[in-house]
């Protein structure tokens, strides 16, 4: 999956030329959407999550992750627990157990894998559409 992010015509989208909040938003959005778990904010967040899980996890607990490959270090820190990516509506999946937003997206992700042993339509993959709070959408 690729994002084509269009900036603004009046300025440069570089760290060296910062004079517009919207240009900075474009630049930072691009950094954020790379899901690189080596970026400082992911390193700090994942480290704290791993530390707190260590205090709370019990046998047979699930670890539910929604950040794709950026949160893979959390799953790797606890290999004896089941890590589940829930709400998969993104590329960059890593876990054995996935809950997708739709069947269309599930098959789209399956199609991305060139090696069929990576994804074989496991019976435990599931689709659970997103939940909406009905009271937020009155008739």
């Amino acid at each position: 999956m690729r994002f084509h992010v269009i900036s603004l015509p009046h300025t440069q989208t570089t760290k060296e030329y910062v004079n517009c909040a919207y240009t900075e938003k474009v630049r930072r959005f691009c950094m954020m959407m790379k899901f690189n778990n080596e970026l400082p904010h992911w390193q700090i967040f994942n480290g704290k999550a791993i530390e707190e899980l260590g205090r709370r996890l019990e046998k047979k607990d699930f670890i539910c992750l929604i950040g794709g490959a950026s949160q893979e270090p959390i799953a790797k820190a606890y290999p004896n627990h089941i890590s589940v990516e829930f709400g998969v509506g993104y590329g960059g999946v890593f876990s054995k157990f996935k809950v997708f937003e739709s069947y269309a997206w599930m098959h789209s992700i399956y199609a991305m894998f060139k090696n069929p042993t990576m994804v074989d339509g496991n019976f435990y993959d599931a689709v659970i559409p997103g939940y909406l709070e009905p009271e937020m959408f009155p008739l």
Side-chain angles (χ1 to χ4, degrees), residues 1 90-91 100 102-113 119:
M1 174 172 36
Y90 51 83
F100 295 90
S102 70
Y103 286 101
W105 192 253
M106 178 175 73
H107 293 293
S108 172
I109 292 294
Y110 287 170
M112 286 184 199
F113 290 99
V119 176

Side-chain angles (χ1 to χ4, degrees), residues 39-109:
L39 291 171
H41 61 278
W42 280 113
Q43 291 283 315
I44 292 167
F45 179 85
N46 288 342
K48 289 181 186 270
I50 289 166
E51 181 182 326
E52 291 301 320
L53 282 170
R55 294 185 181 129
R56 296 174 169 88
L57 276 177
E58 296 179 10
K59 285 185 179 181
K60 299 186 180 181
D61 283 357
F62 287 84
I63 301 172
C64 298
L65 303 167
I66 197 161
S70 294
Q71 291 181 328
E72 187 173 7
I74 297 170
K76 285 183 174 179
Y78 298 100
N80 295 327
H81 286 80
I82 296 174
S83 291
V84 180
E85 288 183 83
F86 72 99
V88 175
Y90 51 83
V93 296
F94 72 89
S95 68
K96 183 176 179 179
F97 304 98
K98 295 172 273 315
V99 177
F100 295 90
E101 290 285 315
S102 70
Y103 286 101
W105 192 253
M106 178 175 73
H107 293 293
S108 172
I109 292 294

